[in-house]
Amino acid sequence: MRKLSEYILVVDDQFSVRLFIQNALEQFGYEVKAVASGSECLCLATSLHRPSLILLDQNMPGMTGLQVLAQMAQDDQAKTIPVIMISGEEDIEASARSLGVCEILSKPLDLDHFLKTVRATLEKETAKS
């Protein structure tokens, strides 16, 4: 099995949100890549240098977060990457969980809760391997 790369992938179509999340994570020592679309996310999730965690926005043009998850579920390697969904929508939890999402965080993000969730998710994945 291919090793996960040591970076977090941030997927959000809004530049200001991507920048906010990336800066917050980098201040805590994480390596971060940020992309604006579901298709870019899928390219990285199925590449040799897959992220160790994906932070995925639900509401994006072109391809929603749930559509990205459905595509990732078709790939044996991509479906093992933990995903935290970030959404302003209330009614996606059941669908997101059925597609393997670890956590769902609401927008606007509570920074402390967000960082604790990221840390806990990465620690759970490290303990699995």
Side-chain angles (χ1 to χ4, degrees):
M1 182 155 83
R2 293 179 290 192
K3 182 180 179 340
L4 294 174
S5 298
E6 295 298 319
Y7 73 91
I8 297 172
L9 179 60
V10 177
V11 186
D12 197 302
D13 61 307
Q14 294 181 317
F15 177 76
S16 60
V17 174
R18 281 196 317 273
L19 190 62
F20 172 76
I21 293 172
Q22 183 171 359
N23 287 340
L25 290 169
E26 286 176 345
Q27 284 180 349
F28 282 85
Y30 295 109
E31 186 176 330
V32 181
K33 288 186 182 179
V35 297
S37 71
S39 57
E40 290 174 289
C41 173
L42 288 172
C43 285
L44 289 167
T46 57
S47 73
L48 282 174
H49 301 290
R50 296 176 301 125
S52 46
L53 174 65
I54 296 174
L55 303 172
L56 180 62
D57 182 32
Q58 161 56 12
N59 201 0
M60 296 182 290
M63 186 182 293
T64 67
L66 291 174
Q67 290 170 324
V68 172
L69 288 169
Q71 292 282 317
M72 285 177 59
Q74 305 299 311
D75 183 278
D76 287 340
Q77 299 298 321
K79 69 183 178 187
T80 65
I81 303 169
V83 177
I84 297 174
M85 182 77 96
I86 300 172
S87 178
E89 298 176 33
E90 295 293 320
D91 58 348
I92 64 160
E93 183 160 357
S95 300
R97 295 244 184 240
S98 74
L99 291 167
V101 165
C102 299
E103 297 290 337
I104 300 171
L105 299 176
S106 298
K107 284 183 178 180
L109 287 173
D110 172 317
L111 193 56
D112 286 338
H113 179 65
F114 166 71
L115 291 168
K116 286 176 186 164
T117 302
V118 167
R119 187 178 323 111
T121 303
L122 288 170
E123 285 171 0
K124 254 188 261 176
E125 288 306 307
T126 303
K128 280 185 194 176
S129 43

